[in-house]
């Protein structure tokens, strides 16, 4: 982005809305979950569905088109679809169907379909690999298809054989059933190892605050808190504590601080710290009648509304202001 602004200072910069993206992704996930027997969610906007055996009853293309039309109607989002006998060809077919269409590649037509395409269309062939292939005179998938697999293996190692197979429409990878993350976590590796305890606590509080906000946003509660530290000599230690199900900042921050004090015993420079919430369940925060006040509950609700609308850390504890905003990956539960 820094380079883009230098090259084009008059560019109009539009801030992405990751919360909205996640919300829409969850919405489409639930539609797919209701409609198909087995699916894999590989990214925020990409799914693989296994329709094995469905052709004898309903017709795979018919089912896929009906699902696409339902998603279009209920989400309002354009969606492209590729149908074939494996994940690689389906992914390429989806790309060819964009921006808002579908494409079926019948069994046996995989090689002819792929042949005229650029090698960059093959998943796992990035810029570096494609440049090497271009230097070898390989620009289309058809050339890859007729090359000896041994030559590609000699050039790219074990990935060479995988490239050859994908180019020939061969992909044995299964559709991996989707399941929601059982934990969420956040880690920070410092540019310079540090012994500044106040700074370390500030990072821990900021990470805990953001993770707790994600729990409330996803209507989840945690029952286990873990803190991790890695010393400058790469010696790594983790400690955890079970807690009553909660998503409250003030409860979780105190647990995290106590665990850090218990864990940090060597007084050596620290390279990395991390916080992890596990044993997640769906549920809303339960008010503690003896500790929580109405003002405190309203504060959490206001914080979540503001941060949900304008982005994480729009409003946060003062101690965490020195820590930059961290982005959340909803598919592996990691904040980076």
């Amino acid at each position: 982005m820094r380079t883009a602004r230098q090259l084009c200072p008059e560019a109009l910069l539009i801030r992405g809305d990751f919360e909205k993206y996640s919300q829409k992704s969850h919405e489409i996930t639930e539609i797919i979950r209701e409609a198909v027997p087995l699916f894999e969610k590989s990214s925020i906007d990409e799914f693989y569905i296994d329709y094995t055996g469905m052709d004898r009853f309903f017709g795979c293309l018919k089912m896929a088109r009906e699902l696409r039309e339902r998603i279009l109607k209920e989400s309002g989002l354009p969606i492209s679809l590729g149908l074939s006998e494996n994940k690689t060809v389906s992914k390429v077919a989806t790309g060819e169907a964009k921006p808002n269409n579908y494409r079926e590649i019948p069994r046996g037509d995989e090689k002819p379909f792929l042949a005229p395409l650029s090698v960059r269309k093959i998943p796992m062939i990035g810029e570096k690999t494609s440049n090497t292939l271009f230097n070898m005179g390989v620009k289309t998938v058809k050339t890859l298809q007729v090359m000896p697999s041994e030559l590609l293996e000699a050039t790219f190692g074990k990935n060479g054989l995988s490239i050859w197979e994908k180019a020939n429409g061969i992909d044995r990878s299964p559709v991996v059933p989707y399941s929601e993350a059982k934990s969420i976590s956040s880690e920070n590796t410092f540019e310079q190892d540090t012994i500044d305890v106040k700074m370390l606590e500030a990072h821990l509080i900021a990470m805990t605050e953001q993770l707790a906000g994600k729990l409330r946003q996803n209507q989840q509660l945690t029952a286990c808190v873990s803190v991790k530290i890695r010393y400058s000599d790469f010696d790594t230690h983790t400690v955890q504590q079970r807690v009553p199900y909660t998503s409250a900042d003030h409860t979780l921050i105190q647990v995290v601080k106590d665990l850090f004090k218990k864990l940090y015993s060597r007084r050596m420079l620290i390279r990395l710290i991390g916080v992890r919430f596990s044993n997640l369940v769906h549920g809303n925060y339960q008010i503690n009648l003896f500790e929580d006040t109405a003002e405190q509950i309203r504060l959490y609700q206001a914080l979540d509304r503001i941060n949900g609308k304008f982005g994480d850390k729009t409003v946060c504890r003062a101690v965490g202001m020195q820590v930059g905003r961290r982005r959340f990956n909803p598919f592996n539960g990691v904040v980076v």
Side-chain angles (χ1 to χ4, degrees), residues 242-310:
R242 293 191 64 85
V243 296
Y245 282 110
T246 185
S247 59
D249 295 7
H250 64 283
T251 301
L252 293 167
I253 286 173
Q254 189 58 54
V255 174
V256 167
K257 291 171 67 175
D258 292 343
L259 289 176
F260 175 68
K261 291 175 182 177
K262 178 180 178 181
L263 193 60
Y264 185 34
S265 58
R266 294 179 59 186
R267 295 299 181 259
M268 284 181 59
L269 291 170
I270 287 182
R271 177 179 297 269
L272 173 149
I273 56 173
V275 177
R276 180 172 179 262
F277 298 156
S278 56
N279 291 8
L280 304 186
V281 297
H282 282 281
N284 292 307
Y285 175 61
Q286 299 296 307
I287 298 174
N288 188 318
L289 297 177
F290 299 100
E291 298 179 8
D292 297 340
T293 63
E295 290 79 8
Q296 196 169 44
I297 299 302
R298 287 198 294 270
L299 175 62
Y300 280 139
Q301 293 171 341
L303 284 172
D304 292 343
R305 281 197 302 270
I306 294 171
N307 289 329
K309 183 175 182 180
F310 298 105

Side-chain angles (χ1 to χ4, degrees), residues 35-181:
V36 305
L38 176 63
F39 74 98
E40 173 183 339
K41 187 173 184 177
S42 58
S43 73
I44 194 169
D45 64 348
E46 184 173 87
F47 300 81
Y48 291 104
I49 297 172
D50 190 346
Y51 279 126
T52 301
M54 294 296 109
D55 52 331
R56 70 185 68 176
F57 301 108
F58 306 104
C60 295
L61 182 59
K62 180 177 184 294
M63 291 186 68
R65 288 178 61 181
E66 288 178 352
L67 175 60
R68 175 177 174 270
E69 290 166 5
R70 180 182 170 188
I71 293 173
L72 281 167
K73 181 180 178 180
E74 295 187 19
S75 73
L77 296 178
I79 179 171
S80 299
L81 162 71
L83 181 66
S84 78
E85 75 161 14
N86 65 57
K87 291 166 73 171
T88 292
V89 178
S90 294
K91 181 177 176 68
V92 177
T94 300
E96 294 302 293
K98 289 181 177 180
N100 187 22
N101 213 324
Y102 66 90
R103 184 86 180 261
E104 180 188 18
I105 311 302
R107 185 173 184 178
D109 289 353
E110 294 86 5
K111 287 182 67 174
F113 162 67
L114 294 170
L117 302 177
S118 166
V119 293
R120 285 298 300 269
K121 297 282 188 175
I122 299 296
M124 82 177 285
I125 295 184
E127 183 177 358
K128 185 176 179 181
T129 302
S130 63
N131 287 338
T132 302
L133 288 170
F134 291 162
N135 291 334
M136 295 168 63
V138 181
K139 295 186 178 181
T140 66
V141 177
K142 184 176 181 179
T143 308
L144 272 179
Q145 291 174 344
V146 299
M147 290 177 67
S149 60
E150 294 81 7
L151 176 58
L152 288 172
E153 197 167 4
T155 306
F156 299 106
K158 62 181 181 180
N159 287 335
L161 178 59
S162 181
I163 291 172
W164 183 87
E165 288 182 339
K166 289 179 183 292
N168 281 276
I170 301 169
D171 183 3
R172 304 176 188 85
S173 59
V175 172
V176 180
Y178 171 70
S179 61
E180 295 180 351

